[in-house]
Amino acid sequence: MKALVAVKRVVDYNVKVRVKADGSDVDIANVKMSMNPFDEIAVEEAVRLKEAGKVSEIVVVSLGVKQCEETLRTALAMGADRAVHVETDAELQPLAVAKLLKAVADKEQPSIAILGKQAIDDDANQTGQMLAALLGWGQGTFASKVELNAETATVTREVDGGLETVKLALPVVITADLRLNEPRYVKLPNIMAAKKKPLDKLSPADLGVDIAPRLKTLKVAEPAKRSAGIKVANAAELVAKLKNDAKVL
Amino acid sequence: MPAYTAPLRDFAFVLNELIKVQEIVPTLPGYAEATEDVYASYLEAAAKFCESELAPINRSGDEAGCVFNPADHSVTTPDGFAAAYQQYCELGFPGLDCDPAYGGQGMPKTLAFPVMEMLTSSNVAWSMYPGLSHGAYAAIHAHGTDEQKDAYLPQLVSGEWTGTMCLTEPHCGTDLGLLKSRAEPNGDGSYAISGTKIFISAGEHDLADNIIHLVLARLPDAPKDVKGISLFIVPKFHTDASRNDVFCGSLEHKMGIKANATAVLNFDGAKGYLIGEPNKGLACMFTMMNAARLGCGMQGLGLGEASFQGSLAYAKDRLQMRASNGPAFPEKSADPIIVHPDVRRMLLTQKAYTEAGRALTALLALQLDIEEKHPDADQRKEAADLVALLTPVAKAFMTDNGYIATNLGMQVFGGHGFIREWGMEQLVRDCRISQIYEGTNGIQALDLIGRKVLLDQGQKLRKFSGMVVAFCKAQEGDERMREFVEPLMKLLKDTGELTMHIGMAAMKNRDEAGAAATDYLRVIGHVTYAWLWARMAKVAFDQGDAADPFYQAKITTARFYFAKLLPEVHGLMVSIKSGAAPLMTLDAEHFAFQ
Ligand SMILES: Cc1cc2nc3c(=O)[nH]c(=O)nc-3n(C[C@H](O)[C@H](O)[C@H](O)COP(=O)(O)OP(=O)(O)OC[C@H]3O[C@@H](n4cnc5c(N)ncnc54)[C@H](O)[C@@H]3O)c2cc1C
Ligand SMILES: Cc1cc2nc3c(=O)[nH]c(=O)nc-3n(C[C@H](O)[C@H](O)[C@H](O)COP(=O)(O)OP(=O)(O)OC[C@H]3O[C@@H](n4cnc5c(N)ncnc54)[C@H](O)[C@@H]3O)c2cc1C
């Protein structure tokens, strides 16, 4: 059984991003970039499924600039078997990403596609859902547990009210939530081994996908600075303020 | 404990833009695969491990310390130490720069050194367990027979076993000529080793199944002084798993690195194997002395960095008093202390020493790579000469500055710096030993002025000065560099005269060299850092993406260094020129009176 895992290169979660002076975007020049943490969890899950003998081949795919290769190499060092890089400098919005992933899935014919539930840069939380719709596959999003069988996947999902378990026919799209697993550290010798694993290059044109953005960013701004709070004397005053000033009660 | 984030951006700057390792290292035999992306991946993997596994057990390790169990002579390391070591081995760290013939990954020192810095920043006490193993590995790799290498290296490279270096005895540390441990031939090619070694780092612990001690001892007919010392391999367990007669007698109670076991080891006719030639033991030790001393110097660097990260975060957060020229944050109860000139002095001193130390380390790591692998003998010799000259400087100057930096970090925290929970005083205590072991800084200073400078008539120093002059000359016409080049050229001229002055004085009275030594080492350290800061400024001017504050910060820090730290050399030079008399005149009996 083949697994397809999508990995995105994003600003590292430790970095405090700044908005560009012209307000067009976040400034990512020379900031540390890493694999999206949820995608790391997705890769880890695929590797565990392979170690458990459920999956026979893991293909990782990344879409975007040249340096996405580094992200793919990290996934290969974690245990993926080969990589596909759809290279483009163009802005990629979730719909374009889902279309590109569909095209790759059509070529690769995996039984499961594992993605992160969202990317920590734009937090869109859309790609997995759109991909499932485009492919016409079932979807198990926000997965905190995955059980894979020959024909089905049982996915425990983190939903607002607690946990929900769904049983899905393969092929299926799964998106990884935080508690699905704890990703492993890369073993140093695997870094060199990963360099020798195959990494195929494609372009959006090769896949015949139109990636033109459908949404326009008007302005990017820092969140408004929080003004100082006030101290209340007692609970009664607090309740009064919540009622009268904040009008939330 | 201050959170630790590995300075990956600065590593990339130093390796790729300043020292330009990619122009040389991948062209050296065996390093073709050490490309920029490989460096980046390795450093990132190491950063993750250090930040997530080692930093969190640093303070708890200091609180718990190591426990000696007299009943079975065993030592228990703090919680989490053994598990982290296990993981470290599984991830392949011990073999990073070891010979692939024995299971290593054969990576260059320019990659291994930044990893070492991260290990020391995140948990210096822990880092010494694998650190000592690496010393033992290097000794056996350089001087062992094929049988010895096959017997010990695979396990040292995998980390399954650890190693120690046993030199010091109760009556001798600096002066190894006084060493007493004995080695009697057993008649079967092995030796019975007897004696007491003290202060043995990682001498006993519960991280690994076996410990390979490298021990200096005397053969029965050996000459009395340093010419009569031989080196032996003494395993804790023999290859047939039987216990050897070497036991931990106790652990020292000490100021810092409490989580590293500093052991008294008693050798009671323990079975050992000669490594290298008889009576050449010190020479064997010296072949890896440069790397070990640089590793020790890096403790000053790594701890300075850790302290800087803590004090910087604190200084932005702590509100106390108003900026002298009016409130910077009127809406707050006071301004963050980073607005105050004196706090900035402390932070910038930490930053300037740390970043220059990182540059010096990378520069020397590159020379070690060249010395080991370059096909051209002249290039190897050049590199070896530069390493020889600058190793005592790197060891002593980086650890002295590390002590200054960790102390300032504590000061920035005010009263909280003195309180254990914040972790800042631990960094001061942990750093303090680096000025003492691997040859005290006083001995490093004697090595520099004596063996490295005066003994070869200043040849190595002149070659080094030549490099700095060449750099300065290359900046002619670059107006932006004048502010650095002019004082640097002047400093070189003054240093040349100073060296001559000491040389002349020492011809008449040997004490003149000893009297000048420590001040002189600091002068040479400043020359080296000034050169490196000028080079960093040059890179920043040339590569500087105007929008990237990283480069501007390099230039501003270089200016700070030249304006505020470098002037120390003037006082040092005046002190040196006053000669030995002020030190040697007072009668030893008159130092104190009842
Ligand atoms: C925590 C710790 C870990 C250690 N780990 C190891 C280890 O793993 N293996 C090992 O073998 N040793 C180890 N040591 C020992 C360490 O290397 C020695 O302490 C060091 O070499 C100094 O020797 P000493 O303590 O005998 O001091 P001494 O040699 O007695 O020196 C005392 C003072 O005199 C000065 N001095 C001595 N001779 C001269 C001179 N000719 N000119 C000017 N000044 C001089 C010294 O600079 C020093 O300031 C460790 C020590 C400690 C505290
Ligand atoms: C063991 C111990 C015993 C103590 N005993 C007592 C006691 O008996 N009674 C008592 O009242 N207090 C006591 N203290 C508190 C002690 O006096 C304070 O810790 C000290 O005054 C520093 O204040 P702070 O810790 O708030 O540091 P901060 O005021 O936060 O200072 C932090 C850093 O900022 C610097 N800084 C602050 N403002 C400026 C400025 N305007 N310009 C330049 N630099 C500035 C400081 O020099 C320091 O380096 C004790 C503290 C300790 C650790």
Side-chain angles (χ1 to χ4, degrees), chain B residues 318 320-321 337 340 342-343 346 411-412 414-416 418-419:
Chain B
R318 175 74 169 171
Q320 210 74 184
M321 314 272 286
I337 57 174
H340 304 309
D342 190 56
V343 173
M346 297 192 269
Q411 189 73 12
V412 168
H416 301 282
F418 194 72
I419 307 301

Side-chain angles (χ1 to χ4, degrees), chain B residues 205-252:
Chain B
H205 58 76
D206 54 5
L207 303 188
D209 294 340
N210 199 2
I211 303 177
I212 309 304
H213 303 290
L214 286 190
V215 185
L216 288 181
R218 282 181 197 284
L219 293 168
D221 48 358
K224 284 239 170 320
D225 55 11
V226 286
K227 294 194 187 75
I229 298 172
S230 305
L231 183 60
F232 298 87
I233 300 175
V234 184
K236 177 177 164 187
F237 289 100
H238 295 296
T239 34
D240 65 3
S242 61
R243 186 73 162 84
N244 205 352
D245 273 330
V246 46
F247 288 98
C248 176
S250 67
L251 291 185
E252 302 297 345

Side-chain angles (χ1 to χ4, degrees), chain B residues 67-78:
Chain B
V67 178
F68 176 58
N69 313 301
D72 62 354
H73 305 276
S74 69
V75 167
T76 310
T77 57

Side-chain angles (χ1 to χ4, degrees), chain A residues 13-14 18 27 29-35 40 70 73-74 185-189 191-192 195-196 228, chain B residues 8-9 33 35 37-38 41-42 45 48-49 52-53 87 90-93 96 105 107 545 548-549:
Chain A
Y13 71 98
N14 275 313
R18 288 189 318 264
D27 190 357
N30 290 316
V31 304
K32 187 181 174 211
M33 307 291 284
S34 303
M35 190 189 299
E40 229 179 318
E70 293 162 19
R73 292 286 175 207
T74 304
Y185 293 110
V186 167
K187 286 189 182 169
L188 300 185
I191 293 171
M192 294 309 300
K195 283 195 75 161
K196 300 188 175 87
Chain B
L8 293 176
R9 177 82 203 266
E33 290 182 324
T35 49
D37 57 324
V38 168
S41 301
Y42 264 83
K48 264 192 182 172
F49 178 75
S52 316
E53 303 298 330
Q87 205 176 7
E90 282 166 10
L91 295 174
F93 281 101
L96 177 68
Q105 295 147 59
M107 286 295 160
D545 165 1
D548 189 346

Side-chain angles (χ1 to χ4, degrees), chain B residues 96-108:
Chain B
L96 177 68
D97 59 342
C98 296
D99 187 345
Y102 300 97
Q105 295 147 59
M107 286 295 160

